[in-house]
Amino acid sequence: MSTENEGTEVPADPTAPSVPATPPVPATPPAVPPAAEQAPRPPQAPVEPAAPVPSAQEAPTQVQPPVPPAPPAQAPAPAAAPVPAAEPVTAGAPAGAGGWPPAPPAVPAWGEPVPVPSGAPEAPRRRGGGLVAAVLVAALVAGGIGGGIGYWAAQREDRGPESTTVSSGEAPASFKREAGTVAAVAAKALPSVVTIQAKSGDVQGEGGTGTGFVYDQEGHIVTNNHVVASAAEGGTLSATFSDGRTYDAEVVGRAEGYDVAVIKLKQPPKGLKPLPLGDSDRVAVGDATIAIGAPFGLSNTVTTGIISAKNRPVASGDGGGSNSYMSALQTDASINPGNSGGPLLDAAGAVIGINSAIQSTGGGYGQSQAGSIGLGFAIPVNQAKAVAEQLIKTGKPVYPVIGATVNMNEKGEGARIAEQGAGGTESVTPGGPAAEAGLRPGDVITSFGGHAIDSGPTLISEIWTHKPGDEVKVTYERDGKSASTTVVLGKRAGDS
């Protein structure tokens, strides 16, 4: 049985004949002899007309309630099947009414249903009629659904195919990024990050590109010393914001040993938004990081990574003979030449470090043109903040010292105090912090403030994480024996 409206005729229910819209008029029967009139006429079974076949453009099939069957006695015989006239009575039959035998019944034409004698009990109906009616209704319902689907498909074909592609005009004008996502942090930080162009004052006008960030509303910008060193003596500086505005700047102060510098916009705009400073001492390995800078001159570049290590001793040089030392934050965020001086942010958008150096493929630390290999180093912001405040206040850096000269070439056994200082001077300054703590030439410092020391640069990096006047526990070896003492750090102003 078909359940779709595809022109398949639905079979009629024999127990529920359909009622024609207009009852047909029966044809006038021929005259019947009196004897035939007295003979009982068997009721004729109605013939159901064929169900109409819907055309292809009809509306979806509507389900009609079943029509109750009409009484058989009142159902007129269709005109297409008239009742044949009864055969005349034979000459040998009795003429009187009620004679015996009675007149024979009329013989039906071939193909007509067998007549049932009047008064005979009605044959019991088949119990399957209800089931057939239910199946018929289900077929009509399914046919209606199928017809509706077919009508809908035809309408779609008339209109042509419809595209499901979402155009840009249907998309929201802007998406709000959730707080804490890289996009949200970058969008908030970028307006406070600048690209620095430095040029020397000589004929060649050599210089370079670096990065800095807004430190306060007065127009101070914090960056690396090696970014502005070429313009420090008679050169020119400019700072360009992410919106393209460019301002002339000047050097306020530089600290070569820390690789920190502060510049100031000559005519700072109103509404500067300093970046918030975090706490680099509370940073943990695995914390998310976001670096912003201008690698190879590509301003406003954002890269991401994690804190790979803490307290990583790094000694870097700018190629001009000055070296810097830091107990750095190591990150795998992509840092390249041009990122120097830019902020290293945490997931909340606070500055936790100043990007300063990378590990190059040549095996050294510095700011060469080698690309990132996932080993970048940043000055902890707690140290950079102390240096920046000192530079803004006095224009000169202040370094904590122990008053001893250590060997910078040996590595692996600690930091050894040299036998003699530069130019033949004493390696342990008389009356200095080391001398007061009982340290002597030849002593090997193996721990400083609880951190293991494996070389001279590592010792200096740890010393410069403190401030002048701090008391620090020192472990050292002398003649193969280990001993400890406490050093009160002194200070040195300016670069020498």
Side-chain angles (χ1 to χ4, degrees):
M1 177 183 297
S2 173
T3 59
E4 295 181 359
N5 191 9
E6 297 178 352
T8 303
E9 183 176 356
V10 179
D13 182 3
T15 63
S18 59
V19 179
T22 304
V25 180
T28 305
V32 181
E37 291 180 358
Q38 295 178 3
R41 177 176 295 177
Q44 301 295 324
V47 179
E48 181 181 358
V53 179
S55 63
Q57 296 183 358
E58 287 182 343
T61 304
Q62 301 295 325
V63 178
Q64 299 292 342
V67 180
Q74 297 180 1
V83 179
E87 293 291 335
V89 181
T90 59
W100 184 264
V107 179
W110 185 87
E112 289 188 349
V114 178
V116 180
S118 176
E122 184 179 359
R125 295 186 179 182
R126 296 168 56 189
R127 292 188 177 182
L131 176 60
V132 174
V135 173
L136 176 61
V137 172
L140 291 176
V141 172
I145 295 175
I149 294 175
Y151 177 78
W152 172 80
Q155 292 295 99
R156 284 181 59 85
E157 291 178 359
D158 292 341
R159 293 196 302 268
E162 295 182 0
S163 174
T164 58
T165 302
V166 179
S167 65
S168 60
E170 298 173 3
S174 62
F175 292 96
K176 182 179 180 181
R177 269 59 181 182
E178 296 294 333
T181 62
V182 174
V185 171
K188 188 175 181 180
L190 277 169
S192 300
V193 179
V194 298
T195 300
I196 298 174
Q197 292 285 348
K199 291 183 179 181
S200 64
D202 56 20
V203 179
Q204 289 81 7
E206 296 178 352
T209 301
T211 308
F213 62 91
V214 177
Y215 185 75
D216 56 28
Q217 293 183 332
E218 285 70 37
H220 289 107
I221 305 293
V222 174
T223 185
N224 281 148
N225 171 67
H226 73 264
V227 170
V228 302
S230 60
E233 303 294 337
T236 60
L237 284 173
S238 65
T240 303
F241 285 82
S242 60
D243 60 3
R245 295 178 299 164
T246 300
Y247 299 88
D248 292 334
E250 59 186 355
V251 176
V252 172
R254 301 186 297 133
E256 293 181 1
Y258 294 119
D259 198 17
V260 175
V262 176
I263 65 174
K264 188 176 187 298
L265 304 179
K266 292 182 178 180
Q267 294 180 342
K270 295 182 179 180
L272 288 176
K273 296 182 179 179
L275 286 181
L277 304 182
D279 186 352
S280 54
D281 290 339
R282 300 182 63 182
V283 171
V285 173
D287 283 350
T289 59
I290 302 171
I292 302 179
F296 296 104
L298 301 175
S299 302
N300 310 316
T301 296
V302 178
T303 57
T304 62
I306 62 170
I307 294 293
S308 304
K310 295 180 60 177
N311 304 313
R312 187 73 78 189
V314 173
S316 65
D318 60 2
S322 61
N323 295 320
S324 61
Y325 304 92
M326 69 189 84
S327 181
L329 297 175
Q330 180 182 328
T331 180
D332 65 347
S334 182
I335 296 175
N336 290 285
N339 277 102
S340 294
L344 183 67
L345 309 175
D346 62 13
V351 180
I352 55 175
I354 300 176
N355 300 319
S356 181
I358 61 174
Q359 174 73 51
S360 67
T361 54
Y365 300 102
Q367 297 81 34
S368 66
Q369 293 301 307
S372 172
I373 59 174
L375 296 174
F377 304 94
I379 304 167
V381 72
N382 290 6
Q383 177 181 339
K385 178 182 177 182
V387 176
E389 292 288 351
Q390 184 67 36
L391 293 176
I392 293 173
K393 183 178 179 179
T394 67
K396 294 183 179 181
V398 173
Y399 299 94
V401 295
I402 62 171
T405 302
V406 296
N407 192 314
M408 302 296 288
N409 298 321
E410 296 179 0
K411 184 177 181 181
E413 297 181 358
R416 183 182 299 275
I417 299 178
E419 296 293 338
Q420 193 174 38
T425 62
E426 297 185 39
S427 60
V428 178
T429 305
E436 293 293 327
L439 295 175
R440 303 174 185 175
D443 290 345
V444 179
I445 299 176
T446 58
S447 175
F448 188 89
H451 293 91
I453 303 300
D454 62 354
S455 64
T458 301
L459 176 62
I460 296 177
S461 298
E462 287 298 328
I463 292 173
W464 286 357
T465 63
H466 296 272
K467 298 177 182 179
D470 286 352
E471 296 183 1
V472 183
K473 182 179 179 180
V474 176
T475 301
Y476 63 97
E477 290 183 357
R478 180 185 298 169
D479 299 329
K481 297 180 179 180
S482 179
S484 297
T485 186
T486 299
V487 176
V488 179
L489 299 177
K491 70 176 182 179
R492 173 173 60 87
D495 291 307
S496 58

